[in-house]
Each structure stands twice: as structure tokens, then as C-alpha cells.
Amino acid sequence: MKIQLLGLMLSLAVTGASASGIGGDTTRTYAIPTVSLTPKGTVALSWTEKDDRNIVHYYWAESKDQGRTFGEKKQIFESPGMSGSRLMRPKLLFKKDGTWAAVFALRGDVPAAAASTGGHEHHHGGEAPKAPSGRPSDLQIVFSLSKDQGKTWSAPAPVHADRTPKVVRGFFDATVLANGEIGVAYLRDIDGRPHERDLRFVTSSGDTFGGETVLDPFVCDCCNISLLVDDKGILNLYYRENQENIRDIAKMTSSDNGKTFSKPQILFADNWKINGCPHSGPTSAAGPGGNVISWFSGTTESPGIRLVTQEGKRLLVIADASAKNMYLAAGSKSAALLWEQQGTESDQTVLAYRTVKKDGVSEAKVLGKTANGTNASGVIAGNRLVVAYEVKNSRNKNTLAFESVEL
């Protein structure tokens, strides 16, 4: 089991494969690496790079050897307004009709000239654009399509029909539904009620999106959502509720591809009451024993990351006070729970994982030499867990790394 820092000459010499400069530009800040499986069964890695002119570039690359090496990077989009937050991780999705879709958050208006140029970056002259900072006051969720397996991409367009300006729409998740279309769930500002948000859902129809449905009129305002289409084709939606500041995780299900949903139910009654948003929502995966869901709760009874079944049975609690940023990866024989925690050195974090099978959950293992690892995502390809993550560096210029380990 060996860590591979993307773009470094040592790694290239060992693997003999070209990483095409992924992660090797020290002038850039790398963020939100996300891995998924393509329809061919290969691993797709997407991530963002912020250059010294405040332009955020959104890329993807493919691995044909279960995450051991990655090929040439291709650009999807670029803009100073693109969001790279772990609470609204950009999603690269593959529709059943062969169309690829990228869904991501964007501040301000969509710049028409910022569409992909077939893998080539734009060259910007004049003064560097001003990077958005602070709490966003205008945020939308957009999608871009590719009809040639990720080589070129359409100009992005909002997934929501509502065009009200100066409104935050975010903390989203997106997935491919059982009928091959795309579903997007997100939070939106409630008109006239600052810093309060509702939960909405929208689905695609071909190359466009339809009208929005409000699923919950008042929810926890800054936690990410998790969408999961399980092995039966049921759409599961997990989010953090807010009932008089009790912020437990709720679930809804849809058996008709998002046309209708069940009433919200609390997945597990932590009864965590907090006057403020935890900025930490759920993650979910379909494992061999059914759906599993993980999130953080600060309840005094058992604080920490918990892992729970669809039926609300609690499988474990990671009580380490430093454990955070969990992520669930799905596989046919097992699922894997990833998180970051304090390492043996007081100023470093490491990544750890447990496998989840029908007969129980494994003991925790540290994932390779993942010193200073953060914001990990994972996917199970065959019998290997492929993990991509940021590496914290000085001057806040994080790099990227990935690891592939046999389960």
C-alpha cells in the first residue's frame, strides 16, 4: 500500500504512467477531489485548482487501473466564482443515455465565455479578477453537459427555474436516478427570513431541468445533503433537520424518481440541540447489507461520528474528538467509512477507514501515510478502495494525493 502524490516525478517514475501535471503546480491551490465510477467501470477523479489570478479551474481525469494512476486532466469549467466547498462538493455524473453531467455551485452570474474549450484553458489578460470572499449573498447551482465522454462541455446553466437575484442556493447533492435522469436537492434562502433555508428538489428531463419542489419548508441552514439511489432503485434523501434547534438527521424516500416523497422521518433521535449550524451533514452509501448513513452529532450522551442503518440501527460511534469530515464509499461486497483524525503528531491529521459488511464493521485502520490529509472522498472499484484527498500545505496551498488499497 503506497501513497502516490499526484504529479511528482518520484511517483511517475514508480508507476511509469503519466499524471499530466495533476497536483504538480505549486502556484495553485487544489481542493475537493472527488472519485466516482464511470459506466465502463473505470475511476473518474474530479477536482478544482485555483490559480494565482483567482480563477478556479474544474478538471477531471480517468484511471484505468483501479486508482493506482490517473491519465491526462481535462478541463470542465473555469471561473473566479466557482465554489470549492466540502459542503457542496462538485459532482461528475454519468447518465444512462451516454451524456455526462457536471453539477456545481457558482457565485454571481454565469459567464457565458467560461465554458470548456475542449481541455484547454482560457488565457486571461488585464487585471486579475477579484475572488469572491466571505459569506455568499448570491449563489446558484448549475450544470454542464458533455456528449463526447468529457472532452468538451456545454456552457453552464442553472438547474433551478427560479432566477431571483441575491439568493443563496447551495449545500446540494446530485445523483443519477433509476430512470437515468438527474436529481438535485439543495437549500434555498427563505424570502424575508435572513439565514433561514428550505429544502428543494429538481429533476432533469433530457438536457434541461424542470420546476422546483419544496420538500421541507425549514431545515438546518448550512449542512450538506446526501442523495442515494439504492439497489432497489429507491431515491433516499438525507439532511439535517431543525426542530426548535434540535438538529438531527432526517430521511425521505421516493419510489417514482423524485415526483413524490415520503414524509420526513428522523433517522436516529440524537436529540442534539444547538443554537447554530454544525456545518456538517450526512454521507450515505448502499452496502451489501443495505443503506448505511454517517454523520456527526455533538450530543452529550455520545458525541462523535456515528454510522447507522436505513432502519435507524446504530452500528458504531467514533468518539475521538478529532474525528471529522466522514465519507461513505459503496461497493458490492462492502462499504467503507472514511474520516480524518489527529495523527501521532499533534499538528497533523491522518485518514482512517472501516469496512462495513453484512456481518459487521471492521476495526479502524489508518490509510497509508496520509499525513496532513483532509477532505477525502472514496469509491470501491472491484476489490480496491480508491481514495482522493487534499494534503494541507503551508500558505494554504493544498495539493492533491490519492491512494488505492485492497480491501
Side-chain angles (χ1 to χ4, degrees), residues 34-46 60-68 70 91-96 99-101 149 175-176 231 286 327-334 377-388 404 407:
T34 306
V35 284
S36 57
L37 292 181
T38 71
K40 299 180 294 183
T42 59
V43 178
L45 167 67
S46 64
W60 82 277
E62 184 180 21
S63 171
K64 298 179 180 180
D65 56 6
Q66 295 184 322
R68 295 175 180 86
F70 284 86
K91 298 298 290 285
L92 183 58
L93 303 171
F94 310 97
K95 296 182 68 175
K96 293 180 180 180
T99 302
W100 292 20
Q149 297 188 327
T175 191
V176 177
D231 296 338
Y327 193 99
L328 274 165
S332 59
K333 297 181 179 179
S334 66
S377 76
V379 69
I380 297 177
N383 65 338
R384 301 190 71 84
L385 172 63
V386 181
V387 180
S404 173
L407 293 176

Side-chain angles (χ1 to χ4, degrees), residues 35 47 74 110 160 168 181 199 222 298 300 310 315 354 364 373:
V35 284
W47 72 98
K74 298 179 178 67
V110 178
H160 41 83
V168 171
E181 294 296 343
L199 171 65
C222 292
T300 55
Q310 178 79 2
L315 300 177
R354 290 174 179 253

Side-chain angles (χ1 to χ4, degrees), residues 191-211:
D191 295 335
R193 293 161 61 180
H195 310 317
E196 295 185 5
R197 296 188 175 120
D198 59 30
L199 171 65
R200 302 192 174 201
F201 186 79
V202 63
T203 60
S204 69
S205 177
D207 293 347
T208 61
F209 278 81

